[in-house]
Amino acid sequence: MIPSYFFAHGAPSIVLEQNAYTDFLKHFAETIPKPKAIVLFSAHWEQSIQTISAVETYSTIYDFSGFQNELYQLTYPAKGEHSISEQIVSLFAKHGIQSALDEERGLDHGAWAVLKLIYPDADIPVVALSANRNLTNEQQYQIGKALSELREQDVLIIGSGGTVHNLRRLNWQGESNDEWAESFDNWLQNKLEAWDVNALFNYRELAPYAGEAVPTSEHFIPLLLAMGVGDKNRQARLIHRSYQFGNLSLSCWQFN
């Protein structure tokens, strides 16, 4: 059974970079069996109803500006997998979660930038799922939990976002990590490893520097979604941590 994962997607340009994090992502596929499909929640697809992609072949969305021209030439033409999209609709319905299919939207950079580094050939079907910042943290967790049985079918479930993601606080020349970002990530590591869901659901009130680390919740939500998938065994493991621009966290988590 493949664990679920949370991956930080960092800046869109990460797909062109060579550093410790991109090396980690490029070798990640060697650490797990090849999945028959990938189900991915992206921080960059927000909908008021839980939405599930059901496309034949994905277009590539360039939902950013001001980056290298080369970035806009990259594509990730993964196939969809309609049978899994329909299965997800059924799983959500069984757990009282309203959902809808989307047959048109392509993959945003929160999805394709990470996938291009892990599976560059785009040869594994993908089902993209939206996020909704208006739900409670417990509801996010329950959405992930509803999908847990997909892991028994060799489906890789990913949440793509960032634990510390405050673009206004980035230090573009920063060569050392900001203490406030590390403090938040350290608190988060302690609570994830202890599977302290009560603390995690109330991280805004309890975690140090939560307001600075998570000024808006859309990038944090995929962590709770991926964690919920692992509710049965409740084992969390930090598999990578580094930072860009002083405080943009590139933390990655595995949930067994």
Side-chain angles (χ1 to χ4, degrees):
M1 186 166 63
I2 301 176
S4 58
Y5 291 89
F6 171 80
F7 291 113
H9 58 247
S13 56
I14 195 169
V15 75
L16 300 177
E17 298 169 3
Q18 184 170 353
N19 52 46
Y21 186 46
T22 59
D23 287 346
F24 163 77
L25 291 177
K26 288 174 182 177
H27 290 94
F28 171 78
E30 303 166 8
T31 68
I32 64 170
K34 186 174 181 178
K36 78 170 188 180
I38 299 166
V39 170
L40 187 147
F41 292 94
S42 172
H44 288 270
W45 186 15
E46 293 192 72
Q47 295 288 322
S48 58
I49 294 175
Q50 180 61 60
T51 310
I52 305 154
S53 66
V55 303
E56 294 295 327
T57 302
Y58 287 97
S59 60
T60 304
I61 301 173
Y62 307 101
D63 50 336
F64 47 80
S65 60
F67 287 89
Q68 306 97 309
N69 289 334
E70 184 181 355
L71 205 55
Y72 301 91
Q73 310 306 314
L74 298 177
T75 60
Y76 198 79
K79 302 292 186 182
E81 182 53 74
H82 203 272
S83 63
I84 293 180
S85 298
E86 292 285 0
Q87 185 179 0
I88 291 172
V89 171
S90 297
L91 288 171
F92 282 151
K94 185 169 74 172
H95 289 84
I97 299 166
Q98 185 181 5
S99 66
L101 293 174
D102 182 296
E103 298 179 349
E104 297 182 358
R105 190 179 189 274
L107 292 177
D108 58 67
H109 86 268
W112 68 259
V114 169
L115 292 178
K116 195 166 185 68
L117 288 166
I118 299 175
Y119 296 110
D121 296 331
D123 58 348
I124 300 174
V126 174
V127 176
L129 284 85
S130 66
N132 179 2
R133 72 173 80 184
N134 295 318
L135 302 179
T136 67
N137 291 326
E138 183 173 5
Q139 287 174 311
Q140 311 289 1
Y141 184 93
Q142 294 299 326
I143 287 172
K145 184 178 177 180
L147 300 182
S148 60
E149 70 182 63
L150 290 176
R151 296 167 59 197
E152 300 171 6
Q153 303 168 30
D154 297 325
V155 173
L156 170 61
I157 303 177
I158 295 172
S160 174
T163 56
V164 181
H165 188 276
N166 188 336
L167 301 184
R168 295 189 176 188
R169 294 293 300 271
L170 296 185
N171 179 359
W172 296 97
Q173 311 302 323
E175 296 183 0
S176 60
N177 302 335
D178 292 343
E179 289 185 8
W180 62 268
E182 290 188 321
S183 179
F184 178 82
D185 268 342
N186 288 337
W187 181 91
L188 195 60
Q189 179 176 355
N190 177 273
K191 302 307 178 186
L192 285 167
E193 290 176 345
W195 212 274
D196 187 346
V197 291
N198 289 328
L200 290 164
F201 294 163
N202 295 284
Y203 74 91
R204 284 206 174 276
E205 293 75 35
L206 300 177
Y209 304 104
E212 290 86 346
V214 190
T216 56
S217 62
E218 75 285 345
H219 278 75
F220 191 86
I221 288 167
L223 176 70
L224 297 172
L225 293 164
M227 185 187 186
V229 178
D231 179 78
K232 183 176 181 179
N233 294 327
R234 297 194 164 200
Q235 296 175 344
R237 183 166 72 93
L238 181 66
I239 55 175
H240 180 87
R241 178 182 292 165
S242 56
Y243 294 86
Q244 284 182 304
F245 313 122
N247 55 61
L248 185 60
S249 178
L250 300 177
S251 293
C252 298
W253 283 90
Q254 172 181 303
F255 302 106
N256 288 358

